[in-house]
Amino acid sequence: AQSVTQLDSHVSVSEGTPVLLRCNYSSSYSPSLFWYVQHPNKGLQLLLKYTSAATLVKGINGFEAEFKKSETSFHLTKPSAHMSDAAEYFCVVSEGYNFNKFYFGSGTKLNVKP
Amino acid sequence: AAGVIQSPRHLIKEKRETATLKCYPIPRHDTVYWYQQGPGQDPQFLISFYEKMQSDKGSIPDRFSAQQFSDYHSELNMSSLELGDSALYFCASSSLGGVRSDTQYFGPGTRLTVL
């Protein structure tokens, strides 16, 4: 069975400080893993994707994520937060076998303080 | 680059009415997915189509139906609307044939309000 756990429902950081959004997954097959961002009243935008080519994945807007198989984690990081990063972030796992099915985490709301 | 198009962007209906949501996938994408996102919730998978055939089914109520047409656009038909159907409905598309990729690209969503 596949599942995604986002460990923090809310994260608050100050502008210019690092961001860490945590995600753990379980998957029976080789997973594809994604991070999407959703700004208020907007659609879901793809930040980055892991597909087994490299464990450290760089995405848009300075975000990156590291796939750690031993820890079944795919945490999202950014060295320096910007006010425009305030949004909700979803970690998603796609099954390796029936990979047209997405499993969403419950989301992490990122607040960036001036 | 062309993105997923959804129409309408906003829809207001009364209880027991019907609604039709439309989705136009990215050109050359053969797979369409529908999701429902309630207030404060994560998106819930409803149904998907690959090459005009239903490929997977999630938590879609029997009152809802969907199809994918020959031009790959998809429509989600919702009947006997209930207050609880008020949500943001996302469509996503991907390419599972051809240049195969499981990345789903999401449209901006249709916000349905049932009064």
Side-chain angles (χ1 to χ4, degrees):
Chain A
Q2 290 69 33
S3 71
V4 183
T5 303
Q6 290 184 242
L7 297 155
D8 307 293
S9 59
H10 291 82
V11 169
S12 186
V13 301
S14 297
E15 191 174 21
T17 64
V19 175
L20 169 64
L21 305 182
R22 297 182 294 167
C23 173
N24 286 94
Y25 71 93
S26 68
S27 176
S28 304
Y29 304 97
S30 299
S32 289
L33 294 159
F34 307 80
W35 277 98
Y36 284 84
V37 60
Q38 185 177 29
H39 291 274
N41 299 312
K42 300 285 187 185
L44 291 154
Q45 181 184 18
L46 178 67
L47 271 181
L48 49 81
K49 171 186 177 181
Y50 165 77
T51 54
S52 78
T55 56
L56 184 62
V57 183
K58 293 189 184 300
I60 61 171
N61 300 336
F63 284 94
E64 59 184 40
E66 187 172 7
F67 173 72
K68 292 186 177 179
K69 188 174 182 179
S70 59
E71 298 175 13
T72 60
S73 69
F74 189 57
H75 301 335
L76 182 71
T77 60
K78 182 173 180 177
S80 176
H82 192 272
M83 295 297 292
S84 61
D85 295 328
E88 186 158 21
Y89 293 79
F90 290 97
C91 181
V92 179
V93 63
S94 172
E95 293 187 72
Y97 177 73
N98 183 22
F99 52 78
N100 61 331
K101 198 160 196 171
F102 265 23
Y103 297 87
F104 280 81
S106 53
T108 298
K109 285 192 171 71
L110 176 64
N111 178 46
V112 182
K113 299 176 288 188
Chain B
V4 177
I5 297 171
Q6 291 188 246
S7 69
R9 294 293 309 278
H10 301 272
L11 190 58
I12 299 175
K13 290 286 186 178
E14 300 276 342
K15 273 176 23 179
R16 291 179 288 278
E17 285 191 322
T18 61
T20 297
L21 278 53
K22 296 185 179 182
C23 169
Y24 298 86
I26 291 172
R28 290 180 294 282
H29 278 194
D30 48 29
T31 307
V32 168
Y33 313 79
W34 286 98
Y35 293 85
Q36 178 191 58
Q37 186 179 29
Q41 305 292 316
D42 56 284
Q44 296 293 312
F45 172 71
L46 293 178
I47 195 166
S48 63
F49 293 87
Y50 168 63
E51 284 290 345
K52 291 151 278 182
M53 300 286 290
Q54 182 182 308
S55 55
D56 207 347
K57 195 171 181 179
S59 51
I60 184 169
D62 292 339
R63 300 177 289 108
F64 294 7
S65 64
Q67 56 182 324
Q68 185 180 31
F69 295 85
S70 57
D71 64 351
Y72 294 99
H73 95 272
S74 178
E75 295 183 4
L76 177 67
N77 297 293
M78 310 158 72
S79 62
S80 303
L81 286 169
E82 301 173 357
L83 295 177
D85 296 329
S86 295
L88 193 54
Y89 290 83
F90 286 111
C91 170
S93 74
S94 69
S95 173
L96 294 187
V99 180
R100 199 177 190 94
S101 170
D102 60 348
T103 301
Q104 294 183 24
Y105 295 89
F106 285 78
T110 294
R111 184 168 295 283
L112 172 66
T113 302
V114 181
L115 303 175

